[in-house]
Amino acid sequence: MSASTIPSRFDLLIRNATLLTADPAAPIVRNASLGVIGDRIAWIGALASDAHAALDLDLAGRVVTPGFVNVHTHSALSMVRGVAADLGFAPSYTKGIPNALDLTPEDSIAMTRLGALEALLAGSTLIGEHFVHVDACVPEIAKLGLRVHASVRLHDVDFRKVADSGRWQFDAALGDGLLERNLALHGAWDGKEDGRVRVQFAAHAADTCSEPFLAKVAQAAQARGAVVNTHLAQSKVEVERVLARTGRTPVQVFDHAGLLNEHLLCGHCIYVEDDDIARMAGAGANVVHIPKCNAASGRLAPTPKIKAAGLNMTLATDTQHADMVELMRWALATARVQVGGVDEDWQPHHVFAMATINGARALGLADEIGSLQVGKKADFVVLDFRRPHLVPAPNPVGTLVHTAMGRDVEMVFVDGRCVVRDGRPTLVNREAVIAEAQATADRLWRNATT
Ligand SMILES: [Zn+2]
């Protein structure tokens, strides 16, 4: 490009930063300038001498990454943090702790805002949010300024009967009602807030959704070109229950329902057989790796096998602390534990890609977000690398993955708008969000234990 085509006037200009781009063509750019016009990255490179911007930031000592794409969360489960991880599988249905089924829409909003704020402050510019009352929560999450790809939790098993008596019973009216709610959410919110809100179809799991219900979800999602997000082969009990009911593995059930394709995001994938992995790879499905949740409950997804099969692997925090920075080293360490050492297939840049561009690819947004490239949306995170644990950084991707934390995030931009500054949200009152969530959680815990 000739010098005359370099823009000199920007809305936002970043100078002297180290860019970790997640673009293999130029993964690390030092002493870089990045210019934003409107909601897009307009320039990366040397600047014209008269370059200027409304917001002109000298970010010497900082590292700038693409916004993290956290594709699978249930932010309201912040209500059981510090307890649920120690109760084994399906802690939400353990007596004495707050149950998702007892949440009012207002309770869900209060707890979801807390979890989504936590994710944003740790650098997630996009969350995949699926839970009860998500339809009520979407407008409130959107106010934080991050991208939210949401769905009502879709299932036709009656969770109340599961919680009360361990009975697994499908109820078509229950499933149809939830699907209707999600269709209404799609109609009202998909593409809203300048495209920052998208509505998915979150079929909960193969054991909590009957085959006729999965077929309905497939039809609804396909008709709208929407992503389907699910939990797949996340527990032995699920695999056994599904096998007994259908004679198929959960992956085969999704395939049979017409859901196994490039629009499917498969959460966990712990108990997948070689045939399942090959089937998923052949279909172009996406794996959502959730290493911290899995490891906290004593489980590991066979990520070396999944990666070797060529599947697009993304990262998500699910019900755990929504820190994608920390999560990258969980992904790296748990893969190396399985490999039995350090190899070329599992290096910091691989898990960095999982946390950024791979997530974007899974959502069909690889041309829009997930890397720092001219023409893409201006979604990025500024980390303060002047702190003791981040100095020196001869390989800043390695330093980021091995020693950085979400709390090192200083600024977050979404669509070129500053939504976190000095580690604090710019669009909502942090203290008010925390206080409301604390009061809600206090009440939920009081009611759960009495
Ligand atoms: Zn989940």
Side-chain angles (χ1 to χ4, degrees), residues 234-249:
Q234 70 166 328
S235 75
K236 277 185 188 155
V237 174
E238 169 206 339
V239 175
E240 286 163 8
R241 188 177 287 121
V242 171
L243 202 58
R245 190 185 87 215
T246 66
R248 298 187 173 100
T249 68

Side-chain angles (χ1 to χ4, degrees), residues 78-399:
S78 52
M79 70 184 179
V80 290
R81 69 163 100 239
V83 176
D86 301 316
L87 294 175
F89 183 65
S92 310
Y93 312 112
T94 303
K95 302 283 183 205
I97 75 167
N99 187 321
L101 298 171
D102 295 330
L103 295 179
T104 65
E106 292 71 28
D107 296 336
S108 285
I109 289 169
M111 301 314 303
T112 299
R113 270 162 51 101
L114 178 75
L117 176 61
E118 174 191 354
L120 173 66
L121 294 178
S124 289
T125 52
L126 186 155
I127 58 171
E129 181 65 50
H130 323 112
F131 208 50
V132 298
H133 304 307
V134 153
D135 41 355
C137 297
V138 161
E140 297 303 318
I141 304 173
K143 288 177 185 167
L144 296 171
L146 80 175
R147 299 181 192 280
V148 55
H149 288 216
S151 172
V152 173
R153 185 177 69 174
L154 302 174
H155 55 89
D156 61 341
V157 83
D158 188 337
F159 276 122
R160 178 67 71 187
K161 288 189 174 132
V162 174
D164 290 346
S165 61
R167 263 190 304 145
W168 285 71
Q169 199 170 315
F170 294 112
D171 178 342
L174 175 73
D176 290 348
L178 291 169
L179 190 52
E180 277 303 315
R181 274 176 63 186
N182 206 55
L183 289 168
L185 180 66
H186 190 281
W189 277 92
D190 188 55
K192 291 290 161 60
E193 300 288 313
D194 298 324
R196 289 191 295 278
V197 177
R198 297 302 307 271
V199 175
Q200 308 181 333
F201 288 77
H204 180 262
D207 58 342
T208 57
C209 298
S210 69
E211 284 145 307
F213 183 64
L214 286 175
K216 285 183 193 172
V217 172
Q219 200 175 33
Q222 277 158 18
R224 290 158 185 81
V227 160
V228 174
N229 222 313
T230 192
H231 304 86
L232 203 62
Q234 70 166 328
S235 75
K236 277 185 188 155
V237 174
E238 169 206 339
V239 175
E240 286 163 8
R241 188 177 287 121
V242 171
L243 202 58
R245 190 185 87 215
T246 66
R248 298 187 173 100
T249 68
V251 171
Q252 289 168 344
V253 166
F254 268 67
D255 195 5
H256 198 67
L259 284 163
L260 198 68
N261 56 43
E262 67 276 15
H263 302 299
L264 183 68
L265 277 71
C266 310
H268 297 286
C269 299
I270 298 168
Y271 301 101
V272 282
E273 304 298 333
D274 290 352
D275 173 71
D276 291 326
I277 294 172
R279 192 179 287 261
M280 293 164 78
N286 304 279
V287 169
V288 180
H289 184 33
I290 304 172
K292 195 162 48 164
C293 246
N294 296 348
S297 61
R299 299 170 296 163
L300 286 174
T303 47
K305 276 188 180 181
I306 291 169
K307 187 167 189 289
L311 279 145
N312 182 47
M313 222 185 321
T314 70
L315 273 186
T317 56
D318 199 356
T319 59
Q320 298 272 319
H321 173 37
D323 180 345
M324 292 286 281
V325 181
E326 180 198 20
L327 197 70
M328 290 190 286
R329 62 180 161 269
W330 283 81
L332 189 60
T334 53
R336 286 178 175 172
V337 164
Q338 296 181 74
V339 170
V342 176
D343 67 8
E344 286 303 307
D345 286 337
W346 289 94
Q347 289 292 319
H349 68 273
H350 293 121
V351 291
F352 181 55
M354 288 165 68
T356 54
I357 188 65
N358 290 10
R361 188 176 298 123
L363 298 169
L365 293 175
D367 293 335
E368 288 286 276
I369 59 171
S371 61
L372 302 179
Q373 288 178 270
V374 171
K376 283 199 173 183
K377 294 277 193 177
D379 287 14
F380 50 84
V381 173
V382 178
L383 296 110
D384 186 354
F385 263 49
R386 299 170 300 178
R387 298 177 180 181
H389 61 291
L390 300 173
V391 173
N395 172 15
V397 182
T399 303

